[in-house]
Amino acid sequence: MKLIDSHAHLNDEAYKEDFDEVVERTSSQLVACICASFNLSSSKDAVKIADKYEKVFATVGFHPENAEEFDEQGLMKLLKNKKVVAVGEIGLDYHFFDGLSPQQIEEKKSFQREVFAKQIEIANKNKLPIVVHSRDAMGDTIEILKKHPVAVPGLLHCYSGSIESARELIKMGFSFSFGG
């Protein structure tokens, strides 16, 4: 059986030593491999990797933990590459707020929601699906997706939400991956 790896971080430093070997081995086992990104630098790396290997494609975007690095112009430039197949990994992550005041937490959540919505708009303008990361934020994730419907159904990466949330997301056309 041939498969598509929908979320591989081939742009991770862990592959630096034996990168070509890893990609060649992966490519021989899969129909395609999608190199996922989390900020501008990893997005640029993903596009370079995709350009080099026939069966590798890229997502470009800003993970919620990297929302403060959001660069719309940089993202738009990368979206012109024909090997970019989605905007991602984008979304909300409310997990790592230890040591922050309630006001700081709300400010970070608000900013993540703003950047998430903006990246959905960018994906829609480019007629691309989104790859969504949602940790400890499913209610807000669904609310934003309802307010900003996607033009092309996307993927909920590493889904850990409830069956009720899954039903809502299925109605919106989303697929799911289960990992970790």
Side-chain angles (χ1 to χ4, degrees), residues 27-66:
S27 294
S28 71
Q29 301 297 313
L30 300 170
V31 173
C33 182
I34 301 172
C35 185
S37 303
F38 51 88
N39 64 12
L40 188 59
S41 176
S42 69
S43 294
K44 287 177 181 178
D45 289 345
V47 169
K48 285 179 190 173
I49 294 165
D51 281 341
K52 184 175 178 181
Y53 297 94
E54 179 186 1
K55 292 183 178 182
V56 178
F57 298 86
T59 69
V60 296
F62 292 82
H63 187 282
E65 290 178 21
N66 301 95

Side-chain angles (χ1 to χ4, degrees), residues 35-177:
C35 185
S37 303
F38 51 88
N39 64 12
L40 188 59
S41 176
S42 69
S43 294
K44 287 177 181 178
D45 289 345
V47 169
K48 285 179 190 173
I49 294 165
D51 281 341
K52 184 175 178 181
Y53 297 94
E54 179 186 1
K55 292 183 178 182
V56 178
F57 298 86
T59 69
V60 296
F62 292 82
H63 187 282
E65 290 178 21
N66 301 95
E68 64 281 345
E69 300 174 30
F70 180 65
D71 177 349
E72 183 173 355
Q73 288 188 346
L75 183 59
M76 294 299 287
K77 184 177 179 182
L78 291 170
L79 287 170
K80 294 176 183 175
N81 187 293
K82 66 184 183 317
K83 298 283 298 265
V84 173
V85 296
V87 175
E89 167 179 2
I90 65 173
L92 304 173
D93 193 325
Y94 297 168
H95 187 73
F96 296 108
F97 290 157
D98 293 341
L100 298 179
S101 72
Q103 181 180 347
Q104 289 171 315
I105 291 171
E106 188 47 46
E107 287 171 1
K108 285 185 79 75
K109 286 181 176 182
S110 178
F111 191 70
Q112 283 186 18
R113 290 189 295 261
E114 181 182 318
V115 171
F116 182 30
K118 185 64 178 166
Q119 289 183 97
I120 293 169
E121 291 173 24
I122 290 168
N124 285 344
K125 284 180 190 174
N126 288 275
K127 297 178 177 64
L128 288 171
I130 60 174
V131 177
V132 179
H133 170 98
S134 180
R135 181 169 27 190
D136 298 341
M138 192 54 65
D140 284 352
T141 299
I142 291 172
E143 183 180 318
I144 289 170
L145 291 170
K146 285 181 177 179
K147 285 183 182 176
H148 304 274
V150 296
V152 180
L155 175 72
L156 264 287
H157 162 64
C158 201
Y159 185 75
S160 62
S162 68
I163 190 69
E164 294 80 17
S165 294
R167 286 184 182 118
E168 287 291 315
L169 293 160
I170 290 168
K171 288 178 193 175
M172 293 181 227
F174 280 90
S175 298
F176 303 85
S177 71

